[in-house]
Amino acid sequence: MKYLTLFVIVLLSFTACNSKEKAEQREREQKYKAMKEDYQRKFDSTVKAQAFDSSSPYFVDTVNQKITSIKFEQEIYNFGKMIEGDTLKDIMIYTNTGKYPLIIKNAWGSCGCTQPEFSTEPLAPGKSDTIVVGFNSKNKVGNNTKSIMIDANTNPRITTVQFSVKVKAK
């Protein structure tokens, strides 16, 4: 009987921890969604203001530009665990799901610790390629969720994809 009681207590503690982690994950996802929407609003207003100035990096050649679409294999990539101070390199796979060649003009991370590497060569419809993500874990102990923003000939022009990684202290 003592073993059964002990088993039930242990089982309940695991269940409580798991639901707490799920609640924290949902909270992180909601915060990210709000941050993404705010960023997109600010970016869109800047782009709209500069879209007709051909000297601007945001100039949109709507006559000659062919709009296509991009699809990542995952919305949030899980890059696992790492030790603080290490640098991670992993990949995010995407596919050109549109009818015209996909051209990535730029890609950047949500902070200085995240550096994407990407090809600027046109990607034919139906073909796949990768973005190599570099992440420096210095001073990033704990659960980290970071974003990569991709500027391409897509609608919307900016596509965002996330990754998560858990950094353990040295």
Side-chain angles (χ1 to χ4, degrees):
M1 188 65 181
K2 290 181 184 180
Y3 293 113
L4 180 60
T5 305
L6 180 61
F7 176 75
V8 170
I9 291 171
V10 169
L11 183 64
L12 289 174
S13 67
F14 280 124
T15 305
C17 291
N18 192 17
S19 49
K20 181 180 177 186
E21 289 173 2
K22 286 180 182 179
E24 289 172 351
Q25 177 68 20
R26 276 193 302 273
E27 183 179 327
R28 282 192 302 273
E29 288 171 0
Q30 288 172 344
K31 284 181 183 178
Y32 168 75
K33 185 178 178 184
M35 178 183 76
K36 179 181 173 185
E37 289 170 355
D38 184 52
Y39 173 81
Q40 190 69 43
R41 248 189 323 276
K42 289 177 184 175
F43 186 83
D44 284 347
S45 65
T46 302
V47 170
K48 286 175 185 170
Q50 297 180 13
F52 299 103
D53 177 3
S54 62
S55 65
S56 163
Y58 299 109
F59 174 69
V60 179
D61 185 354
T62 55
V63 174
N64 298 317
Q65 187 177 42
K66 305 283 188 200
I67 302 299
T68 191
S69 56
I70 188 171
K71 173 84 172 138
F72 281 85
E73 280 190 344
Q74 301 173 32
E75 288 184 25
I76 301 177
Y77 286 78
N78 183 346
F79 290 159
K81 298 176 183 177
M82 64 187 300
I83 304 296
E84 178 189 12
D86 289 348
T87 301
L88 167 102
K89 282 215 177 225
D90 215 323
I91 62 169
M92 296 177 163
I93 301 171
Y94 63 92
T95 302
N96 178 354
T97 55
K99 296 179 182 179
Y100 301 103
L102 173 67
I103 301 168
I104 295 180
K105 297 171 187 151
N106 197 4
W108 62 95
S110 56
C111 72
C113 63
T114 305
Q115 298 295 322
E117 298 171 19
F118 60 96
S119 172
T120 57
E121 294 297 315
L123 182 66
K127 298 296 181 183
S128 296
D129 202 353
T130 61
I131 291 180
V132 178
V133 178
F135 174 71
N136 183 344
S137 65
K138 184 178 179 182
N139 299 322
K140 301 290 183 194
V141 174
N143 293 323
N144 288 269
T145 301
K146 303 296 178 186
S147 301
I148 303 291
M149 281 66 76
I150 297 96
D151 180 0
N153 60 326
T154 57
N155 187 13
R157 184 169 168 180
I158 305 297
T159 302
T160 303
V161 64
Q162 288 184 287
F163 70 91
S164 64
V165 62
K166 184 170 187 170
V167 179
K168 294 185 177 187
K170 270 187 174 176

